[in-house]
Structures are given as C-alpha cells and as structure tokens.
Amino acid sequence: MDAGHVDGDARLGKSATLITVAPTGAEAGKEAAPALPVTLLELVATAKECQAAGAAVVHVHIRDDRGQPTLDLARLTETVAALRETTDLVVQLSTGGAVTDSFGDRLAVLDAAPDACSLTCGTVNFGDEVFANPWPFIRRLYARTQDLGVVPEFELFDLGHIATLHRLLDELGAPAGGRVHCDLVTGVPGGMPGDAATVVQAAAGLPAGATWSATGIGRASLPVMLAAVAAGGHLRVGMEDTLAYARGRPASGNAELVERASQLARLAQRPPMSTADARAFLGVRA
Ligand code: KMH
Ligand code: ZN
C-alpha cells in the first residue's frame, strides 16, 4: 500500500460513512423477534436488502437447524460463499460467537476464509454471563488474522479494551489490510455505557490513525448513532444490537435500521460508503 493510497482511504473515511449491519446475534431468538434472520435463506435475503439500504459490511453470526447459535465450520463456510455470491458486502464473521463457545471453535472461524472478522480486545461482564477474551487468546487470534490475511475489526466493549488494543498493536504490529478499524460496542450491561460522552472519550483514546464505528445496545442505539455521526465515526446497526425501531415498536427487519442510519449519514453529508469503497478503506483483499 503506497502513501497515496493511504491518504485516499483516509479522505474516504471523512467524506463517507461505513455502515455495518449486524443482522443476527447469538442471543435473541425468533420467539423474541420473529423478523430475526436465522436460516441461510433469511440471512441472504436480509443482506441483500441491507446492501440496497446502504450497508457495506455484514457482521455474521449463524444458527443451526433449531435456530440456536453455532460455529459449525461447514455452515460458516457455506454462509460466506452464499453471501459472496448474492451480495458485494464485506463479509465479517464473528469470532465472539456466543458466551458458551470454546476458544478453539472461535479461532477456527477464520478457516471459513471470510473477508474480515470481529476481534474483541478484552473480557467483559455480559448481563449475567461473562464474555471471555483473555490476553493469550486475543494475541493468538490476532496473529492468525495476520497469517491468513483476514481483516480484523477491533471490538471494544470497555475503556480497558482500548489499552489492550494498544498493547496488541505494539507487540504484533499492523493488522491485515493496514487499517486499524474499531467498533465501540456500548450499552452492554457490564460494559461501557451507551451515551455520547463515553463515545467521545473512547474515540479519543484510540491509536493514532485508527477509524471507528459505534453501536449502542438496545435503547442506547439512537443516542450512540447520533453521537458517532457527530463525532466523525462510522455506524453499526442491526438486530444483533437492538430488536426495536423505537420504544414499543419492534423492528420490522434489519433493512429499516440500515435505512435510518443511511438517512442520518446523508443528513450529516457523509453518505453511505459503497461496498467497493469499503473494501479499499478496510484493505480487504480482492
Ligand atoms: N455474542 C457476544 C457474546 C462478536 O460478535 O465478536 C459476542 C459478540 C461479539 O457478539
Ligand atoms: Zn457479534
């Protein structure tokens, strides 16, 4: 990557908004949200709609035939292929999985050869559970992304995770693709709060040159989206993070959450980034 390319990509991040959709997490099920995509057909249909609505990246968790979260490698590989065939979205697989997933299964996610993956930089209380990310696991997962050329997105649930991100980059160097791109995940019960002050504080602590998106869980969704746009960040939305469009009004699906984020991005005069530009911006290999 030459200096001109880096400059160009930096400009892109200031003039356009990278919108990531996280259509399905590992927690809620169809009983809580009938519109949640849990089959491959539903996921592909949602992904296509979300791309049309302005998303450029899809953050993926998958389910088994009973609708339960799974990290089954064959199913993940089939999902990556199906999303590539039917959309131009950057396919980012979750390596966080569910709180019950083993470190081995989470490392093996990379064998499904996604464009990108999430990489959480620390352990966090997760409601009544613990989302475990000890340092040796983070280090191993990061080294594997470098070996395989998978672009990591650093998921930061708490301010301490930012210190770990600095340590990771200091010890192991730059990520695949060259860009340090982070997602501030706010409003998890046990993590950093979902409000504007926290978004600004967290963004200020990131490594020089890093770019970031923010997401707010549940009712933090709107204030965090507004704060991220105001502070020059990017956006992540979707039913992994919130099942409601507004108080008392369930989301009809992921596309309307993406559509609202796109409207906000256009209003801020940083319209949604195209999928091609997102690939250049993140350094995803062709
Ligand atoms: N489901 C959470 C325990 C990620 O995707 O990388 C972890 C999570 C983070 O959703
Ligand atoms: Zn996730």
Side-chain angles (χ1 to χ4, degrees):
M1 198 183 280
D2 62 29
H5 183 57
V6 171
D7 284 352
D9 289 345
R11 273 196 300 278
L12 193 55
K14 290 196 171 75
S15 63
T17 304
L18 180 70
I19 298 180
T20 298
V21 62
T24 311
E27 285 78 32
K30 281 272 196 201
E31 61 295 342
L36 192 74
V38 298
T39 66
L40 182 54
L41 278 179
E42 288 171 344
L43 180 64
V44 163
T46 296
K48 283 159 80 170
E49 287 169 15
C50 290
Q51 181 179 329
V57 179
V58 60
H59 168 83
V60 179
H61 292 253
I62 61 164
R63 302 295 175 98
D64 64 17
D65 289 337
R66 294 171 302 121
Q68 298 303 308
T70 178
L71 292 182
D72 180 80
L73 188 55
R75 217 174 250 260
L76 283 170
T77 306
E78 182 189 16
T79 302
V80 171
L83 289 168
R84 286 222 179 100
E85 225 165 83
T86 54
T87 77
D88 299 318
L89 295 165
V90 174
V91 180
Q92 180 196 87
L93 289 184
S94 165
T95 64
V99 291
T100 45
D101 286 320
S102 70
F103 295 133
D105 285 350
R106 289 171 58 191
L107 282 165
V109 164
L110 299 187
D111 294 335
D115 300 314
C117 70
S118 56
L119 194 161
T120 298
C121 291
T123 294
V124 63
N125 283 317
F126 198 81
D128 294 345
E129 322 272 358
V130 174
F131 178 30
N133 295 284
W135 169 249
F137 170 69
I138 296 169
R139 204 177 192 286
R140 216 170 138 203
L141 179 58
Y142 184 55
R144 213 162 139 61
T145 63
Q146 290 174 312
D147 288 346
L148 297 175
V150 176
V151 172
E153 177 180 277
F154 302 99
E155 304 247 338
L156 309 169
F157 287 67
D158 214 342
L159 295 180
H161 295 190
I162 297 172
T164 297
L165 170 60
H166 282 273
R167 180 180 176 194
L168 197 59
L169 298 174
D170 287 349
E171 289 191 18
L172 293 188
R179 172 171 300 284
V180 176
H181 185 69
C182 308
D183 184 39
L184 307 174
V185 185
T186 68
V188 168
M192 60 185 158
D195 55 43
T198 304
V199 168
V200 170
Q201 186 188 358
L206 297 178
T211 52
W212 57 278
S213 65
T215 190
I217 303 300
R219 72 189 63 168
S221 175
L222 270 175
V224 166
M225 183 159 54
L226 292 163
V229 167
H234 301 269
L235 299 174
R236 172 175 131 167
V237 294
M239 293 179 73
E240 171 168 355
D241 302 334
T242 178
L243 299 174
Y245 185 81
R247 195 171 301 143
R249 208 285 247 157
S252 64
N254 283 282
E256 70 170 356
L257 298 171
V258 173
E259 184 52 48
R260 178 168 61 186
S262 295
Q263 281 172 12
L264 192 59
R266 282 192 287 267
L267 194 65
Q269 302 193 2
R270 285 175 57 221
M273 199 180 283
S274 70
T275 52
D277 282 349
R279 283 174 193 280
F281 180 68
L282 295 171
V284 172
R285 65 191 161 194

